[in-house]
Amino acid sequence: MSSKLEQFANSGFMKKIQAFSVKLSQSPTFGTISVGMGGTMGLIMIGAVVQILCAIGGLAFGWKAGTPIYDLLYLPYELTMGLLGLFMSFTLAYNYAKRLGVKATIQSGFTSMVCFIMVCAPLETMTTEAGTTVRALNVASLGANGIFCAILIGLISVRITKFSIDHNWIIRMPDVVPEGILNSFNSIIPSGINIFLWYGLAQVISTLTHGTLTLGSLITTVISTPLSYLVSPIGMIFIVIVYCLSWFFGIHGGSVVFTAIMPIYIAAFATNAELAAAGKELVFNPIFLYGCLTIVGGSGNTLPLCVMGLKSKSKQINAVAKASLVPGLFNINEPAIFGFPIMYNPILLIPFILNSLVIMGFMYIGYTFQLIGLPQVLIMTTLPVGIQQFMSTLDWRNLVFVALMFPVAYFIYLPFYKVYEKQCIAKEEAENAELGE
């Protein structure tokens, strides 16, 4: 097995992928994205722990959204993962400014945050139950589903700032002024230009869509609308690929794909629920194949990746695997996607997509030959690996199917993981050598 892995690692295909991966990692832009994601890992872990606690409470005590104890526990998630895009807009801009030599690093981060809010979550006028009119932010757009916009705005806004400073579009101050104050004044005009441009873009989108869309929701709509017409066994292949590619580019795959298929998804479950209640035979709907994406460890079935990383000689992979394992058991895999990372990582993108497609093939065979139970109970919450598949079908065979799919995903990830691990170890050894360790 090891010799075959070595042959695969040294194949022309993998050498090209590795070269492309190294080229991306050395790029200031993609290096910034990786560092920006890493800067939010602490918040991601807090959000994952909260999700796990709420999931356990739901199973053990029946806690659910709307109950005081659930809402109280869930608040830290809403203030961490629920604002992940906002925080990432700062970390990306801050680190990109440092890489490009822009001294106003903190100011660049704040400018990016302001522009991100204006574009993705503009103020909305609301009327309270008391009849009072208030202005409020729609914070639902500032979470993981806003990451792509955070990346876009973080990078472009810093480029605009650098362009402005390089062309002396700044307020000049005497040299005796402390550097911190000097940087603040130097960023006034660049920040104003950024705000003007991004706010103008937000207003154009709002005007053209009669106030129904923002930049973030526009991107989601453009991608998701065609997907709603692809609900067929063959079409589901395309949907799975779009889902995984969305995560790779920093777009929340679930938000894009599930937005398009949700009406069909809910209707399919409702149909089988009615048939089950009437004692009739359940029917297969291709939309059920969507479950192939989250059978073992959340989006892209990353739990096997976390398990194999526990014994890695790479400090980065080992640390991420330890942090991601328990959340992965609860089908929460943001720590894995942002930590390894899988985003903007072409080596891990291949098995990320491939294992889902292979599992979908096995799932289709299972449904076709009645080897596994068809879904009938709609569950819209996070549950541990295997529990969700059992509770949605009430069939023990689906638990066995999950167990069988773990080694399938494991061996699909393994050769690509070995190549990536080798790359990480070499990078860490080079960094240690520079430090004289």
Side-chain angles (χ1 to χ4, degrees), residues 180-376:
I181 298 176
L182 183 64
N183 290 336
S184 295
F185 273 89
N186 285 347
S187 67
I188 291 176
I189 293 177
S191 295
I193 293 172
N194 266 301
I195 291 172
F196 174 79
L197 291 175
W198 290 107
Y199 183 66
L201 176 61
Q203 291 304 305
V204 169
I205 294 173
S206 179
T207 301
L208 293 177
T209 61
H210 304 288
T212 59
L213 296 177
T214 63
L215 177 61
S217 58
L218 176 62
I219 293 171
T220 300
T221 301
V222 169
I223 298 174
S224 65
T225 299
L227 299 180
S228 60
Y229 300 98
L230 294 172
V231 180
S232 66
I234 299 298
M236 289 302 297
I237 295 175
F238 183 77
I239 286 177
V240 167
I241 292 174
V242 171
Y243 181 100
C244 296
L245 282 175
S246 296
W247 272 118
F248 176 77
F249 287 108
I251 303 172
H252 194 292
S255 295
V256 171
V257 173
F258 196 67
T259 298
I261 67 173
M262 182 170 59
I264 305 169
Y265 186 85
I266 294 174
F269 273 85
T271 298
N272 274 357
E274 293 175 2
L275 291 172
K280 298 180 180 179
E281 186 176 348
L282 305 185
V283 296
F284 169 73
N285 189 309
I287 202 68
F288 294 143
L289 298 175
Y290 181 75
C292 72
L293 288 157
T294 55
I295 278 193
V296 282
S299 302
N301 303 302
T302 52
L303 183 59
L305 189 63
C306 299
V307 171
M308 65 181 72
L310 294 175
K311 294 184 178 181
S312 176
K313 294 180 180 179
S314 165
K315 293 180 181 179
Q316 173 192 330
I317 291 177
N318 187 262
V320 172
K322 289 178 180 178
S324 305
L325 181 64
V326 174
L329 290 170
F330 283 80
N331 286 317
I332 300 167
N333 72 332
E334 282 86 355
I337 286 179
F338 296 122
F340 275 100
I342 293 172
M343 278 176 62
Y344 294 98
N345 185 339
I347 295 177
L348 294 182
L349 170 66
I350 297 173
F352 187 68
I353 297 175
L354 185 59
N355 88 82
S356 298
L357 293 175
V358 171
I359 290 175
M360 184 174 72
F362 282 114
M363 185 177 284
Y364 182 69
I365 293 171
Y367 285 141
T368 301
F369 294 97
Q370 299 181 356
L371 301 175
I372 55 177
L374 288 163
Q376 57 176 291

